[in-house]
C-alpha cells in the first residue's frame, strides 16, 4: 500500500496561492515523490477564495472573540467560520485514510504550523503570539499522532530525516496492522522499534514498554489508539548523539562472540568517532549492517533502527 501524505497544494506546485503562484518544494516534488502518494489540499481554494485573491491574516480580536481569519485590508470580511468548518470535516476525512504525514506551507494563516503572524487591531504584529494556521491547527488537534512539518523546515537535514523517519514508521505501523489490530501485531511492531525508542527517548522507551506489558488489560482498539499517539510522540524527539552512541554500543554487544580483536577495535573506533562528531552515524551503522550479514541475528535483522527507510533517500549522510 502506498504511503499517503497530505500536502499543501501549493507545495507540490499547484498554482493556488493568492497571487496565482505556487511554492513548489524540490524535496517534496522530486525526492520524496517516488515513495509516496500525495493528497494535496488547498483550504483557501476549497472554501471558495479563488485565484488571484486578496491576502488574509490572523487577527487577535481580544479575549472574548479570539483569533479570527480575516481579509488583510478589510477585517469585516471574516473567513473563520467556513475555514474551521472545512478544516474539521477534512481532518475527519483524512483521519480515516491512514495518512502517514503532512507537509504544510510555512507562514500561511491557513496552513502554517508555527510562528504564523497574528496581528492586533492596530495593525501591528502581536509578537508574543505563536500563531498556527487555522487548518493546520485542526489537523494537529484531530490527529495528534501525525507527523506534520513545514516545507521550509525540510531543508534542515536533521528535521528532514526525523520527519521522513516518522512517516515511514507510521506507515510501517499501519502495514503491521493490515491483517487486523491484534495484541501480537502490536507487540511485534513494538519489539522491532525498541532500539529506535532507546535512541529517540529513553524515558518513553521505558514507559511504553510498561504500557505494552499491560496490553491484555485493555480493549484492543482503545490500546492501539493510545499506543499510536504515544509512540509517534516519542519518536518525534530527535535522537541525540549520546543516545545513538548508547544504541550503537548496545548493538556492538551482540557481536562480541562473532568478531575478532581487530574487527572489534574497528567498530569501537567508528562508534567513538561518531560520539566525538568526526564521523556520521552512517559509518558505524554500515559496518554493523555488514557484520549482521556475516552473522545473522533474527532480533537485530528486524530492528527498524538499522534500516528505517530506503537508503536511496540518503537521509543519514548528514547525521
Ligand atoms: S498555503 Fe495553504 S491555503 Fe495557501 S495556497 Fe498553499 S495550500 Fe492554499
Amino acid at each position: 500500500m502506498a504511503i499517503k501524505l497530505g500536502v499543501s497544494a501549493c507545495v507540490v506546485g499547484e498554482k493556488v496561492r493568492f497571487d496565482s503562484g505556487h511554492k513548489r518544494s524540490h524535496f517534496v516534488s522530486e525526492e520524496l515523490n517516488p515513495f509516496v502518494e500525495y493528497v494535496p489540499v488547498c483550504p483557501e481554494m476549497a472554501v471558495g477564495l479563488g485565484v488571484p485573491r486578496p491576502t488574509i491574516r490572523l487577527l487577535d480580536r481580544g479575549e472574548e472573540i479570539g483569533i479570527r481569519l480575516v481579509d488583510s485590508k478589510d477585517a469585516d470580511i471574516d473567513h473563520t467560520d467556513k475555514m474551521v468548518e472545512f478544516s474539521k470535516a477534512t481532518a475527519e476525512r483524512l483521519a480515516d485514510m491512514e495518512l502517514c504525514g503532512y507537509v504544510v506551507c510555512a507562514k500561511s494563516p491557513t496552513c502554517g504550523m508555527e510562528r504564523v503572524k497574528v496581528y492586533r487591531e492596530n495593525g501591528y504584529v502581536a509578537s508574543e503570539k505563536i500563531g498556527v494556521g487555522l487548518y493546520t491547527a485542526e489537523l494537529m488537534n484531530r490527529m495528534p499522532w501525525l507527523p506534520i512539518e513545514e516545507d521550509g523546515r525540510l531543508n534542515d537535514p536533521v528535521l528532514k530525516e526525523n520527519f521522513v523517519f516518522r512517516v515511514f514508521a507510521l506507515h510501517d505501523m499501519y502495514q503491521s496492522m493490515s491483517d487486523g489490530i491484534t495484541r501480537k501485531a502490536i507487540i511485534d511492531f513494538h519489539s522491532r522499534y525498541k532500539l529506535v525508542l532507546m535512541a529517540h527517548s529513553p524515558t518513553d522507551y521505558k514507559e511504553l514498554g510498561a504500557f505494552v506489558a499491560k496490553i491484555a488489560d485493555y480493549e484492543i482498539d482503545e490500546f492501539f489508539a493510545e499506543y499510536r499517539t504515544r509512540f509517534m510522540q516519542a519518536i518525534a524527539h530527535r535522537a541525540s548523539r549520546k543516545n545513538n552512541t548508547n544504541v550503537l554500543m548496545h548493538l556492538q554487544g551482540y557481536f562480541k562472540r562473532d568478531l575478532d580483536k581487530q574487527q572489534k577495535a574497528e567498530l569501537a573506533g567508528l562508534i567513538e568517532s561518531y560520539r566525538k562528531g568526526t564521523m556520521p552515524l552512517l559509518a558505524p551503522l554500515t559496518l554493523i549492517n555488514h557484520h549482521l550479514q556475516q552473522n545473522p541475528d533474527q532480533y537485530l535483522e528486524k530492528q527498524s533502527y538499522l534500516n528505517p527507510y530506503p537508503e536511496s533517500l540518503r537521509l543519514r549522510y548528514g547525521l
Side-chain angles (χ1 to χ4, degrees):
M1 198 175 72
I3 300 180
K4 284 203 183 78
L5 210 66
V7 66
S8 294
C10 57
V11 170
V12 281
E14 292 184 22
K15 293 181 174 172
V16 289
R17 276 168 63 84
F18 68 96
D19 57 0
S20 313
H22 60 77
K23 265 201 81 185
R24 187 173 178 276
S25 149
H26 176 80
F27 175 69
V28 170
S29 303
E30 301 292 331
E31 294 174 45
L32 206 48
N33 195 34
F35 303 98
V36 301
E37 180 188 311
Y38 286 116
V39 182
V41 179
C42 176
E44 289 178 22
M45 292 287 282
V47 299
L49 307 173
V51 283
R53 57 182 174 268
T55 58
I56 55 178
R57 56 164 61 167
L58 294 176
L59 177 67
D60 188 349
R61 295 213 118 149
E63 258 178 44
E64 264 183 38
I65 301 178
I67 292 174
R68 309 294 294 178
L69 182 68
V70 300
D71 188 286
S72 301
K73 290 208 173 106
D74 181 354
D76 288 336
I77 304 176
D78 188 320
H79 305 290
T80 314
D81 294 343
K82 61 184 174 189
M83 185 58 81
V84 169
E85 189 187 335
F86 168 80
S87 303
K88 281 187 191 296
T90 305
E92 203 55 49
R93 180 172 62 85
L94 295 176
D96 287 340
M97 284 177 66
E98 296 195 341
L99 213 60
C100 295
Y102 212 113
V103 181
V104 295
C105 180
K107 297 185 184 145
S108 153
T110 303
C111 292
M113 184 185 79
E114 59 174 33
R115 296 193 183 89
V116 176
K117 283 182 184 162
V118 180
Y119 289 82
R120 290 202 187 99
E121 302 267 17
N122 63 12
Y124 287 100
V125 174
S127 56
E128 73 275 14
K129 296 275 183 194
I130 305 287
V132 181
L134 281 197
Y135 173 71
T136 299
E138 287 300 336
L139 293 180
M140 292 161 99
N141 186 38
R142 177 63 184 82
M143 294 176 275
W145 60 85
L146 190 70
I148 300 180
E149 196 47 278
E150 289 183 338
D151 55 340
R153 282 165 50 99
L154 289 173
N155 293 324
D156 178 312
V158 175
L159 296 179
K160 176 160 67 178
E161 192 276 341
N162 182 262
F163 174 71
V164 174
F165 162 66
R166 286 183 288 147
V167 166
F168 276 83
L170 185 53
H171 180 65
D172 190 5
M173 184 187 288
Y174 287 140
Q175 288 290 95
S176 304
M177 307 297 144
S178 58
D179 289 336
I181 299 171
T182 62
R183 293 193 173 111
K184 182 177 181 313
I186 295 173
I187 291 168
D188 286 351
F189 174 84
H190 183 73
S191 164
R192 290 195 293 109
Y193 278 82
K194 279 191 175 170
L195 299 182
V196 160
L197 287 165
M198 279 167 79
H200 285 256
S201 173
T203 309
D204 287 308
Y205 166 71
K206 282 190 201 127
E207 290 178 4
L208 269 177
F211 182 50
V212 170
K214 289 190 178 159
I215 193 168
D217 298 348
Y218 291 80
E219 191 273 313
I220 197 66
D221 288 340
E222 180 200 339
F223 183 90
F224 177 71
E226 186 172 340
Y227 178 81
R228 174 176 57 184
T229 298
R230 286 175 64 172
F231 174 85
M232 293 307 296
Q233 289 177 348
I235 65 170
H237 295 283
R238 275 179 251 156
S240 66
R241 191 169 290 272
K242 182 168 168 271
N243 290 345
N244 272 326
T245 303
N246 287 342
V247 172
L248 292 169
M249 290 169 80
H250 182 79
L251 282 164
Q252 186 184 23
Y254 279 89
F255 298 107
K256 62 179 178 240
R257 280 195 212 93
D258 305 313
L259 306 186
D260 63 28
K261 211 171 154 192
Q262 193 186 348
Q263 288 172 317
K264 280 181 189 163
E266 184 189 19
L267 180 55
L270 281 181
I271 294 173
E272 180 58 9
S273 298
Y274 167 71
R275 188 187 70 77
K276 286 188 194 152
T278 54
M279 280 279 187
L281 180 61
L282 199 60
L285 278 181
T286 303
L287 187 55
I288 286 169
N289 271 320
H290 167 75
H291 288 320
L292 189 55
Q293 272 181 6
Q294 309 297 316
N295 309 282
D297 178 288
Q298 274 194 349
Y299 174 74
L300 286 191
E301 280 163 4
K302 287 184 184 160
Q303 286 301 308
S304 162
Y305 184 81
L306 292 171
N307 293 297
Y309 37 67
E311 229 174 87
S312 55
L313 279 164
R314 300 168 63 89
L315 292 171
R316 271 178 160 169
Y317 285 68
L319 302 183

